[in-house]
Amino acid sequence: MSRRCELTGIGPMVGHSVSHSNIKTKRRFLPSLKAVKVTSDSLGQTFSLRISNAALRTLDYKGGLDAFIVKARDEQLSIAAQRIKRQVKAKLAEQAAAA
C-alpha cells in the first residue's frame, strides 16, 4: 500500500533533519494519511479512500466528494478515484439530460 493520497496525489517528500550543531541528515516527510469513508451525493454510495487530512478538510470546504472530484485532474487521482469520477460525471450528465 503506497503512502500517497488518493485524491490529491501527495506523497512522501525528502528533506534534512538539522541538529543543534547544524549537521544535516536525510529524512522523509510522510503525508498524514487517514482511511475514511466518503459519501457521494449523486451516486448515493459510500467509498473507502485513503486520503490526507488536508484533502479531508478540502472536501468539506468544496462541498463534498462530487464537487471536488469533478474538478480534480486525472493525474492526481488514483485509479479508484478516477473510476469514481467517471461514475459521478456520467450520473450528473444523465441528471442534466433528464431535467
Side-chain angles (χ1 to χ4, degrees):
M1 190 176 268
S2 66
R3 297 178 188 267
R4 190 162 294 276
C5 177
E6 293 192 57
L7 295 182
T8 59
I10 292 175
M13 294 184 288
V14 179
H16 288 105
S17 288
V18 183
S19 68
H20 180 69
S21 62
N22 208 22
I23 296 172
K24 294 163 186 73
T25 55
K26 286 274 197 169
R27 63 160 290 187
R28 292 177 74 198
F29 294 93
L30 299 176
S32 177
L33 295 179
K34 186 179 233 181
V36 295
K37 292 187 179 185
V38 194
T39 304
S40 170
D41 296 329
S42 62
L43 298 176
Q45 290 180 314
T46 60
F47 298 99
S48 181
L49 297 173
R50 196 161 179 227
I51 62 176
S52 64
N53 291 334
L56 189 59
R57 290 199 326 264
T58 304
L59 282 180
D60 290 339
Y61 178 75
K62 297 282 184 179
L65 178 66
D66 297 343
F68 176 84
I69 209 164
V70 168
K71 293 182 181 179
R73 295 189 316 213
D74 287 341
E75 301 88 46
Q76 292 178 336
L77 299 174
S78 68
I79 295 170
Q82 289 177 8
R83 190 175 305 122
I84 295 168
K85 181 178 180 177
R86 282 194 299 273
Q87 291 175 354
V88 168
K89 277 190 165 182
K91 188 71 169 183
L92 292 176
E94 179 183 306
Q95 289 175 350

